Amino acid sequence: MTKIQQQPQLIIRTKAVGELPRLVRKAGHQCVVITDSHLRSKANELSLEIKKAGLPCSLLTVPAGEKSKSLVVVEELCEALVKTGLGRDGVLVALGGGVIGDLAGFVASVYMRGIPFISVPTTVIAMADSSLGGKTGVDLASGKNLVGTFYPPMAILMDPTLLETLPDREFKAGCAEIIKHGVIHDERFFTFLEKNRESILARKPALILKMLKQSAKVKLTIVGEDPREALPARPNSTNRSRMLLNYGHTIGHALEKLSEYTLPHGEAVAIGMIEENRIAVKKGILTKDAATRISTLIENFGLPTKLPKEATMARMKKLIARDKKKVGSSIYFALPTGIGSADLFPYDLA
Ligand SMILES: NC(=O)c1ccc[n+]([C@@H]2O[C@H](COP(=O)([O-])OP(=O)(O)OC[C@H]3O[C@@H](n4cnc5c(N)ncnc54)[C@H](O)[C@@H]3O)[C@@H](O)[C@H]2O)c1
């Protein structure tokens, strides 16, 4: 049986995807690529490359969109994997955005009690955020990501050329997670984003590579201190909680649910960051100037900044109360304490 690595190999460079056949051969004797309906032709190309390298390779496609992140689709995929003959000597490749990464990663973690997978992220969100940190999962009718596992891929191939076909709206949505990394951990990176916004939005390759590398560094630093999100349950630890990465997400997840997942994740997080800043300013932990600098950057990246009108206080509280990070009647909000720093603060929902 192939051993599942704990620390994924991370390759970030132009044409990184060319490494896929070699890595697949290293990982198993058979391969199945899982992708979504928008990426089928790219997935076909990659499967052909894998076959040329001498390995049997099948392709499974799910409909694009958050609705595919469900237990029903997990079961369908597992049945389909059995039909391809994939055994424990096989390897899965997740080609797609955060939906495919979360879904295929979850399938890899439960299929035959776990087989290796390789992540090939194709959106900014997936490259900057969801492919890193080992979280997989699917949604339930009652909320997002309520079923999942910690199951890192054996390798992550980040190839900015895969972003060439990404629609502008999705590209900008991904930038919300990148801005988040600057706010919670790295003021210099935040300033880099302020200075280079135009070139990033024009998708200049050198800047995209620099941005992805720095963003990955921030995420991996925070995840490394609390890989399984066990803090703040450990009171005397000097490590920071991975929950800091939830800045913008407590309100963001509620907004996504409220919109029945028609609002892209990154846009929900953008609005979530601005709304959570209001809480931080009200608590006296963030200055108004810092909050304005953050909302200006979010706006300059072409992201939405206003709560939709249906997001009433009562509805939002009800949705937030279902968040899996609730502790008793409190929810922990990750709030910025400046540009480049953040902390966790309990908020009473009662
Ligand atoms: N596991 C984690 O730590 C983590 C972190 C952040 C977000 N997420 C999850 O990620 C998901 C959001 O990710 P997303 O925004 O990438 O969504 P997504 O996977 O739905 O992709 C967005 C859209 O872009 C299309 N697309 C993807 N790559 C493309 C390309 N290169 N060219 C053209 N079209 C392309 C997809 O088909 C889809 O329609 C959510 O489910 C969220 O919960 C997980």
Side-chain angles (χ1 to χ4, degrees):
M1 187 191 54
T2 317
K3 200 162 166 269
I4 293 161
Q5 280 180 293
Q6 282 312 300
Q7 282 303 327
Q9 182 181 1
L10 174 60
I11 304 176
I12 311 183
R13 66 172 162 75
T14 305
K15 308 260 187 258
V17 84
E19 295 287 327
L20 189 61
R22 180 184 65 79
L23 288 170
V24 167
R25 278 181 71 92
K26 202 170 122 187
H29 297 287
Q30 191 187 343
C31 169
V32 175
V33 177
I34 297 182
T35 196
D36 78 25
S37 44
H38 293 158
L39 290 154
R40 202 177 155 86
S41 71
K42 186 75 210 168
N44 257 325
E45 261 175 51
L46 292 184
S47 321
L48 276 177
E49 292 301 316
I50 293 166
K51 281 184 193 157
K52 269 195 223 157
L55 224 65
C57 184
S58 314
L59 174 58
L60 298 177
T61 311
V62 300
E66 185 74 25
K67 291 219 164 85
S68 283
K69 250 178 75 174
S70 76
L71 285 170
V72 173
V73 176
V74 169
E75 188 176 357
E76 286 168 4
L77 283 172
C78 288
E79 290 286 5
L81 289 177
V82 175
K83 288 199 181 110
T84 66
L86 194 81
R88 300 203 73 197
D89 60 347
V91 57
L92 284 188
V93 172
L95 175 80
V99 164
I100 290 297
D102 281 7
L103 172 69
F106 183 71
V107 167
S109 72
V110 292
Y111 183 71
M112 299 201 174
R113 298 204 174 84
I115 59 168
F117 85 107
I118 297 173
S119 179
V120 185
T122 62
T123 62
V124 178
I125 285 210
M127 292 192 191
D129 195 8
S130 62
S131 67
L132 301 162
K135 280 188 184 177
T136 79
V138 294
D139 306 329
L140 295 182
S142 16
K144 259 183 79 86
N145 301 327
L146 291 179
V147 174
T149 51
F150 285 99
Y151 196 78
M154 57 163 284
I156 304 159
L157 299 180
M158 266 185 220
D159 183 343
T161 59
L162 291 174
L163 297 175
E164 281 163 11
T165 52
L166 190 68
D168 233 31
R169 186 172 177 189
E170 299 295 346
F171 185 91
K172 288 176 181 164
C175 292
E177 297 282 8
I178 290 175
I179 293 170
K180 177 193 81 178
H181 288 155
V183 175
I184 62 173
H185 182 75
D186 190 341
E187 185 173 13
R188 272 180 64 187
F189 184 44
F190 186 92
T191 309
F192 163 86
L193 295 173
E194 285 179 322
K195 283 195 181 139
N196 295 289
R197 171 186 55 89
E198 279 181 20
S199 307
I200 290 168
L201 289 176
R203 307 195 193 187
K204 298 232 165 103
L207 281 158
I208 302 236
L209 265 182
K210 203 168 168 184
M211 173 179 88
L212 290 175
K213 283 183 181 166
Q214 192 54 30
S215 185
K217 204 168 159 187
V218 172
K219 172 129 191 196
L220 293 174
T221 302
I222 295 176
V223 168
E225 291 183 36
D226 179 21
R228 290 206 160 224
E229 209 163 73
L231 302 168
R234 266 184 257 142
N236 296 321
S237 174
T238 49
N239 283 357
R240 288 169 308 167
S241 169
R242 179 177 175 156
M243 280 167 70
L244 292 179
L245 293 162
N246 287 334
Y247 167 49
H249 283 63
T250 306
I251 289 180
H253 280 165
L255 288 173
E256 277 183 281
K257 174 82 182 118
L258 189 70
S259 76
E260 293 182 352
Y261 302 112
T262 53
L263 187 66
H265 178 74
E267 292 188 12
V269 169
I271 302 170
M273 287 192 282
I274 289 175
E275 290 303 316
E276 291 178 16
N277 282 356
R278 282 188 217 287
I279 301 173
V281 170
K282 221 167 159 185
K283 276 182 174 285
I285 56 171
L286 183 71
T287 64
K288 273 191 184 159
D289 284 355
T292 305
R293 212 175 137 197
I294 298 167
S295 39
T296 304
L297 185 61
I298 290 172
E299 194 170 1
N300 287 344
F301 264 88
L303 288 159
T305 54
K306 302 258 178 312
L307 272 179
K309 61 177 180 325
E310 56 278 16
T312 59
M313 188 71 154
R315 279 185 186 148
M316 293 300 284
K317 271 197 166 178
K318 208 166 153 191
L319 290 167
I320 289 170
R322 287 192 200 146
D323 195 293
K324 63 182 178 302
K325 274 119 197 157
K326 199 162 68 87
V327 182
S329 66
S330 291
I331 182 101
Y332 277 91
F333 271 96
L335 299 176
T337 50
I339 308 254
S341 61
D343 213 335
L344 294 177
F345 296 88
Y347 183 93
D348 198 0
L349 290 162

